[in-house]
Amino acid sequence: MRAITQDTHGTPEVLKQTVMPRPAPAPGQILVAVRAAGVNPTDWKHRAAGLFLDRLPLVLGWDVSGVVEAVGFGVTLFKPGDEVFGMLPYPQGVGSHAEYVTGPARAFARKPAGIDHVQAGALPLAALTAYQAIVDTAAVRAGQRVLIHAAAGGVGHLAIQIAKSRGAHVIGTASAPKHDFIRSLGADEVVDYRTTDFRDAVQDVDMVLDPLSGDTRARSLDVLRPGGVLVSLLPGTDPDEAAKAEARGVRVETLLVEADHAGMSAVADLVASGALRAHVEAVFPLADAAEAHALGETGRTTGKIVLTVS
């Protein structure tokens, strides 16, 4: 099979298309013929520096949408020919930027019939992250106020839709050119982070979703009402954060997304109901993975980038 591999860490140019053996599903796994696979910030961060993965050569990619080619012993959820989408176990289950990939059957759900593989391939990691933050961690309810930073990004634009599906009042931060896009997703308020300190525009929120950390994470404590929760996707840097959170009566959580059949099924249901759709900024063929990484690293994209496999 064709796959995008790297033998060293570095710039996008370390990525190359190679031919490697097609995997076989172990017990409890399925073999998926990949049709599309999202490219996420964690992909280019792992490409550049390794992060959680220290093995080389490496095939990146956690998002996958495709067709079940074969099933391992004991799998009852799927049969060959089923269209599925899902997130490979993060971080060790990596490998979807290839023609075929294996993964636990319960990391997948059936692809909603109303979307194509490009749309489905854009969703898993970012949508699961947003769902696990808003639903599983913060248990957002109707009428609550939710602040989403980087609201036009891969996680952020999906988080807006998931929070709205829960009946929340959603506030998003983004640069001014992206405000119309964020409003089109259902955001009730938008703050231009370049011209406004969000603390001057937002108060008394029940949940903050922070993909950025650093100063944004620190300042986000100031806008939470007592009993609120800050869910961050990156580690904090303030050694006094726990004491500050306790003094304010709020909770701080750092979330690492997990593969999750129930979560993927919930995402599929939201898609099928029309409540959730990924915005795809750009689509590249598998062979052009380096170009996809270079575009993502500009930090100027909206929504998701997807690789397709013919």
Side-chain angles (χ1 to χ4, degrees):
M1 69 173 186
R2 293 180 297 132
I4 301 299
T5 66
Q6 61 182 101
D7 297 319
T8 187
H9 298 121
T11 62
E13 288 72 26
V14 304
L15 299 174
K16 59 185 179 180
Q17 183 171 274
T18 58
V19 176
M20 58 192 303
R22 187 175 78 173
Q29 290 187 330
I30 59 175
L31 172 68
V32 178
V34 180
R35 296 291 183 262
V39 181
N40 296 285
T42 190
D43 288 297
W44 54 78
K45 291 176 182 177
H46 276 88
R47 183 214 73 229
L51 292 185
F52 299 120
L53 301 173
D54 59 3
R55 65 181 187 266
L56 290 170
L58 177 64
V59 179
L60 288 168
W62 286 269
D63 283 338
V64 56
S65 181
V67 180
V68 177
E69 185 84 3
V71 301
F73 175 79
V75 173
T76 60
L77 287 180
F78 305 113
K79 303 296 181 187
D82 288 343
E83 293 189 319
V84 297
F85 75 141
M87 186 194 79
L88 301 176
Y90 187 85
Q92 298 297 329
V94 67
S96 69
H97 293 171
E99 289 187 294
Y100 294 90
V101 71
T102 56
R106 290 188 176 272
F108 294 85
R110 293 185 183 275
K111 181 184 77 66
I115 60 172
D116 61 17
H117 285 292
V118 170
Q119 268 285 316
L123 282 164
L125 188 148
L128 271 183
T129 300
Y131 188 87
Q132 290 172 6
I134 291 166
V135 180
D136 295 343
T137 305
V140 167
R141 308 184 303 275
Q144 289 191 318
R145 291 165 55 81
V146 174
L147 172 63
I148 297 169
H149 292 300
V155 172
H157 88 288
L158 299 172
I160 291 172
Q161 299 171 69
I162 293 171
K164 289 303 296 182
S165 76
R166 309 283 291 180
H169 179 96
V170 177
I171 308 152
T173 66
S175 60
K178 297 180 179 179
H179 285 193
D180 287 344
F181 170 66
I182 292 170
R183 290 191 181 97
S184 76
L185 300 174
D188 300 284
E189 300 178 46
V190 185
V191 178
D192 185 350
Y193 71 90
R194 290 178 175 172
T195 62
T196 305
D197 185 332
F198 64 85
R199 294 175 298 180
D200 296 331
V202 182
Q203 286 295 324
D204 295 325
V205 299
D206 298 281
M207 182 217 176
V208 178
L209 177 56
D210 167 36
L212 305 172
S213 193
D215 180 59
T216 300
R217 174 168 168 155
R219 288 184 291 136
S220 291
L221 290 176
D222 296 334
V223 304
L224 285 167
R225 62 171 40 131
V229 57
L230 165 63
V231 183
S232 184
L233 307 184
L234 294 170
T237 57
D238 182 358
D240 299 321
E241 179 183 78
K244 293 175 182 177
E246 183 178 4
R248 293 187 62 89
V250 301
R251 180 164 57 104
V252 178
E253 302 285 359
T254 301
L255 173 70
L256 187 68
V257 65
E258 300 177 69
D260 176 11
H261 172 69
M264 281 307 307
S265 297
V267 167
D269 289 343
L270 287 169
V271 172
S273 72
L276 183 64
R277 183 175 178 84
H279 173 80
V280 178
E281 170 86 358
V283 179
F284 294 86
L286 181 67
D288 293 341
E291 294 181 39
H293 276 234
L295 175 62
E297 285 183 311
T298 66
R300 296 193 293 269
T301 57
T302 299
K304 292 297 300 292
I305 299 169
V306 177
L307 299 177
T308 56
V309 183
S310 58

